[in-house]
Amino acid sequence: MFWDKVAGMYDIFENLYNGKVNRKLVKTVSDMIEPTDIVLECACGTGMLTVGMAEVCKELIATDFSVGMLKQTKKKCKHLPNAKIKRADIMKLNCKDSVFDKVIAGNVIHLLDAPYEALAELLRVCKPGGKVIIPTYVNNEKKGKPNLFVKLLKKFGAGFKQQFDFNSYKEFFKEAGFTDVECILIKGKMPCAIAVITK
């Protein structure tokens, strides 16, 4: 699996190429988490967001489909007793309905064959009044073409199903029937759009 192969080097590329955006992303998402929250994170990757959120919330379950990525997350979270790391499929979460205050799915929606089905699954496990938070790297609108990091990932086998700029990202949620999605853009080399859906 591609993500298992790149797991050990992924942070190096992310920090060198897009560190400023990533630091702001972690702060922005962590600021949305409350101390009483029980949080589910899908597609946690190497745990960049996981650590920031776990330092704030009551309990966090971080999941990914890639065993290699989960190993990296476990290393980063060993000092955080409220963080549990598990393998899971975002398309079929082994959770009851309406159990999490916040559900996070970072940088995964553009990789999925059926992203709207994944959205429905994320909303299913979120409590009424809770939030589903979906950060996704987007193309820089000024340049109008894919970022260097995206090109490299594609070249080495990452299966991007679609790419967004900020406007097409907002449109993606409108097409799914969500009219009140809050969208935040973090500008930088590889910008990140954060969509926030209140259930």
Side-chain angles (χ1 to χ4, degrees):
M1 178 192 223
F2 169 78
W3 298 105
D4 287 337
K5 289 177 194 167
V6 300
M9 304 173 294
Y10 191 76
D11 282 349
I12 297 165
F13 288 115
E14 272 215 327
N15 292 330
L16 285 175
Y17 184 71
N18 213 37
K20 191 175 177 184
V21 168
N22 290 335
R23 286 188 292 277
K24 192 162 183 189
L25 169 61
V26 172
K27 183 178 184 335
T28 303
V29 172
S30 297
D31 285 350
M32 295 180 196
I33 307 299
E34 302 293 333
T36 54
D37 281 349
I38 297 171
V39 178
L40 174 68
E41 183 184 12
C42 297
C44 66
T46 59
M48 177 180 72
L49 288 170
T50 313
V51 174
M53 293 188 297
E55 287 173 348
V56 181
C57 70
K58 180 180 178 183
E59 184 184 336
L60 183 140
I61 299 170
T63 69
D64 202 288
F65 198 68
S66 163
V67 174
M69 290 288 189
L70 290 172
K71 281 181 188 172
Q72 300 301 316
T73 302
K74 275 183 185 171
K75 284 182 201 170
K76 287 182 189 168
C77 293
K78 60 185 174 192
H79 67 291
L80 295 162
N82 62 330
K84 296 179 180 80
I85 317 299
K86 295 181 178 180
R87 189 166 190 249
D89 181 352
I90 192 172
M91 304 304 295
K92 289 180 284 189
L93 295 168
N94 189 18
C95 304
K96 292 178 181 173
D97 295 355
S98 306
V99 288
F100 297 101
D101 299 289
K102 305 282 165 41
V103 180
I104 319 300
N107 293 307
V108 67
I109 214 80
H110 56 295
L111 302 173
L112 302 172
D113 288 318
Y116 291 133
E117 287 176 32
L119 271 181
E121 185 68 345
L122 298 173
L123 282 158
R124 179 184 71 77
V125 301
C126 185
K127 289 179 182 175
K131 288 184 175 13
V132 175
I133 302 165
I134 307 169
T136 301
Y137 293 126
V138 294
N139 290 327
N140 194 322
E141 288 162 353
K142 287 180 185 171
K143 294 180 182 171
K145 55 187 178 184
N147 298 293
L148 176 64
F149 191 62
V150 170
K151 285 181 186 173
L152 277 170
L153 287 175
K154 281 181 86 170
K155 188 174 182 178
F156 288 106
F160 289 87
K161 304 300 177 194
Q162 55 189 319
Q163 289 183 49
F164 298 104
D165 60 24
F166 189 48
N167 288 326
S168 64
Y169 193 59
K170 289 189 281 188
E171 199 57 40
F172 167 83
F173 291 98
K174 277 186 190 164
E175 285 173 17
F178 298 105
T179 50
D180 305 350
V181 178
E182 180 190 359
C183 284
I184 302 158
L185 180 64
I186 298 172
K187 294 181 179 179
K189 262 188 193 170
M190 186 160 55
C192 189
I194 306 168
V196 183
I197 303 169
T198 301
K199 183 172 174 181

